Amino acid sequence: MSKISLAQIAAILSITFLMDGALSLFGVAGNANKAMAAEKSAVQTAADMETIQGTWKFVSAEYDGKPNPRKTGDLVTFSEGQVIFHKSEKDTGQPPDVSYKLDATKNPKQIDIIAKINNREFFWRGIYELDQNTLKYCIATPDQPRAMEYVTRFRDGRTLAVFDRVKP
């Protein structure tokens, strides 16, 4: 096996950058970069869909600019595209006609909670942050524009909630 000199590595990198620049000039690399970005975003959304699975406990909630301590301790369970809100682990919550969608391609990341009531769909649109043990979202009431910041104000119809993962 032969050794590659520093000059050879520099030449290879220069050619790579030149080719990338030439491909960009003709629009070829732009499409490849868009495809790679779309794939990365799809992977991130799939990762978030996996991470959100399970039961979460409300640790704080705010509505219309005021704390909502009634929610503290309530639970929400995300499972395979369905979401169930319940008061305790023994409470099974509402029937599974509430779903959710995540979109990690947006900045900030977006969440939609969709409830089907009397053959009509209602959308709560908002944003979310998620790690292994904490979920935070800010959502607007149906028919309101998507919440785009983690804040609620008097009569804005938004809910800001922070959850901790419930350990199995």
Side-chain angles (χ1 to χ4, degrees), residues 35-49 102-105:
M36 288 187 340
E39 184 176 329
K40 181 179 177 183
S41 295
V43 167
Q44 180 61 48
T45 297
D48 282 2
M49 288 293 285
L102 302 180
D103 187 349
T105 66

Side-chain angles (χ1 to χ4, degrees), residues 83-86 91-98:
V83 61
I84 298 173
F85 294 90
H86 41 111
D91 174 18
T92 58
Q94 80 278 1
D97 58 354
V98 180

